[in-house]
């Protein structure tokens, strides 16, 4: 028993070893009883193998097996429905899925999924034939796309708590959000290719200075525009972002790509020549 707990502790610690502070957070450890129940369900082959240790955590966080059935929510299926845009207009992550989402975000799976998306985006960008007039742009969302707010959400139940604009905006004004390394890699590749990045965010105009400073501190530089929401804007996220993309197009820019973590980042004409959706099971913006 003690040996299994030690292995789980080591796994969680190893999962957070990255150059960014956000990936050094840890999630709550399961109870001793839960660990015993999970260990009893593991066959000898899995229990003795070092590589699949991550699978030992799955029953403990509600993603499958007996605990998932007890929770009444198969959390991996819930996340799939969210990412495929089959589940919409949800307010919070199911309470029973807090551990699952925390494990997903901090255990390496989230980074791997993000890497797959960005690898596809980079491959697409390398194949672009640019006109050479400097008018091709790529639209980037900011929160959970260019900058990660995991330090905040780790303190607020990984999306199981109702969104609190006051506390979140206070966190934004700290300017401490870290870069999502995969997105920063795409950003750098685009700049080297001659495609101009444009940030388009739901953050408001009064957060322009701190957002710009935060982006620069996290290694982003050389963008073409930073577009923020007017203070008091009452429309939808889709309406705002598609409207701003229309303005870019009307100004003579060609939107060759568009990446965001929310479907509202990439829906609404003009979307761009190609869109890329990063994972985000922590919140929904319509």
């Amino acid at each position: 028993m003690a040996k299994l707990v030690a292995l789980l502790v080591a796994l969680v610690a190893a999962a957070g070893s990255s150059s960014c502070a956000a990936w050094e957070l840890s999630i709550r450890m399961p109870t001793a009883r839960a660990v015993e129940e999970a260990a009893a369900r593991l066959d000898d082959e899995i229990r003795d193998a070092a590589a699949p240790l991550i699978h030992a955590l799955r029953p403990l966080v509600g993603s499958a097996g007996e605990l998932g059935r007890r929770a009444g929510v198969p959390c991996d299926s819930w996340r799939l429905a969210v990412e495929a845009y089959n589940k919409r207009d949800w307010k919070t992550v199911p309470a029973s899925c807090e551990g699952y989402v925390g494990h997903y975000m901090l255990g390496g799976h989230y980074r791997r999924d993000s890497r797959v998306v960005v690898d596809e985006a980079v491959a697409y960008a390398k194949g672009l034939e640019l006109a050479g007039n400097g008018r091709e742009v790529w639209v980037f969302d900011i929160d959970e796309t260019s900058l990660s707010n995991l330090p905040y959400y780790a303190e607020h139940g990984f999306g199981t708590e109702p969104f609190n604009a006051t506390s979140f905006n206070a966190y934004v004004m700290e300017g401490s959000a870290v870069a999502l390394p995969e997105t920063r890699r795409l950003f750098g590749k685009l700049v080297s290719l001659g495609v101009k990045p444009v940030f388009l965010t739901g953050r408001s105009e009064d957060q322009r200075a701190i957002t710009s400073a935060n982006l620069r501190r996290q290694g982003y530089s050389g963008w073409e525009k930073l577009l923020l929401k007017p203070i008091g804007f009452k429309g939808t996220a889709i309406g705002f972002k598609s409207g701003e993309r229309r303005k870019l197009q009307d100004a003579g820019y060609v939107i060759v790509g568009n990446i965001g973590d929310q479907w509202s980042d990439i829906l609404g004409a003009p979307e761009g020549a190609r869109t890329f959706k990063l994972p985000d099971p922590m919140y929904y913006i319509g």
Side-chain angles (χ1 to χ4, degrees):
M1 171 62 195
K3 184 175 182 180
L4 179 57
V5 171
L7 286 173
L8 290 173
V9 171
L11 174 63
V12 173
S17 59
S18 171
S19 58
C20 294
W23 316 113
E24 295 173 358
L25 298 172
S26 61
I27 61 176
R28 299 171 186 168
M29 289 301 298
T31 64
R33 181 177 179 180
V35 172
E36 289 175 350
E37 291 175 350
R41 289 192 296 270
L42 297 177
D43 59 32
D44 291 338
E45 180 180 351
I46 292 179
R47 189 162 52 244
D48 293 340
L53 274 177
I54 191 74
H55 297 294
L57 287 177
R58 288 181 179 169
L60 305 182
V61 294
S63 65
E66 184 62 27
L67 290 186
R69 287 189 288 274
R70 288 183 198 169
V73 179
C75 298
D76 49 358
S77 297
W78 175 84
R79 183 172 65 86
L80 175 62
V82 165
E83 297 297 354
Y85 204 44
N86 292 318
K87 187 169 185 62
R88 307 179 187 182
D89 302 316
W90 51 279
K91 302 300 182 184
T92 60
V93 172
S96 57
C97 293
E98 176 182 353
Y100 171 83
V101 173
H103 176 267
Y104 171 78
M105 296 301 296
L106 297 175
H109 196 169
Y110 169 63
R111 290 286 302 278
R112 292 195 302 272
D113 285 352
S114 298
R115 191 174 303 120
V116 169
V117 175
V118 169
D119 284 348
E120 291 298 317
V122 168
Y124 163 72
K126 288 179 178 178
L128 289 172
E129 295 184 7
L130 304 183
N133 56 10
R135 304 302 284 174
E136 289 95 351
V137 298
W138 191 297
V139 176
F140 285 78
D141 172 55
I142 291 183
D143 294 301
E144 271 55 68
T145 297
S146 303
L147 296 176
S148 170
N149 301 306
L150 260 177
Y152 174 84
Y153 283 101
E155 295 294 323
H156 294 273
F158 295 103
T160 59
E161 297 179 10
F163 178 71
N164 185 310
T166 301
S167 65
F168 181 74
N169 287 334
Y171 166 80
V172 168
M173 295 307 291
E174 294 174 5
S176 60
V178 297
L180 184 62
E182 285 71 31
T183 305
R184 188 168 54 191
R185 172 166 60 93
L186 172 62
F187 185 99
K189 173 57 68 175
L190 292 170
V191 170
S192 71
L193 292 172
V195 177
K196 296 182 176 179
V198 170
F199 288 114
L200 174 55
T201 176
R203 295 187 179 194
S204 55
E205 275 291 345
D206 56 345
Q207 296 171 330
R208 175 177 291 276
I210 192 64
T211 298
S212 178
N214 197 163
L215 287 166
R216 293 184 191 282
R217 278 197 296 269
Q218 290 300 315
Y220 294 102
S221 62
W223 61 78
E224 180 75 357
K225 292 179 180 292
L226 172 57
L227 305 173
L228 298 98
K229 189 181 294 183
I231 297 174
F233 180 84
K234 299 299 183 182
T236 65
I238 292 176
F240 166 65
K241 292 200 169 186
S242 61
E244 291 300 307
R245 291 193 298 269
R246 174 66 63 185
K247 292 177 185 177
L248 286 171
Q249 195 173 84
D250 291 345
Y253 290 102
V254 178
I255 304 173
V256 297
N258 181 6
I259 188 167
D261 67 293
Q262 299 289 316
W263 282 95
S264 55
D265 295 330
I266 58 179
L267 292 176
E271 296 90 351
R274 184 162 174 187
T275 61
F276 295 88
K277 168 71 169 66
L278 287 166
D280 182 1
M282 296 190 297
Y283 59 83
Y284 173 90
I285 299 175

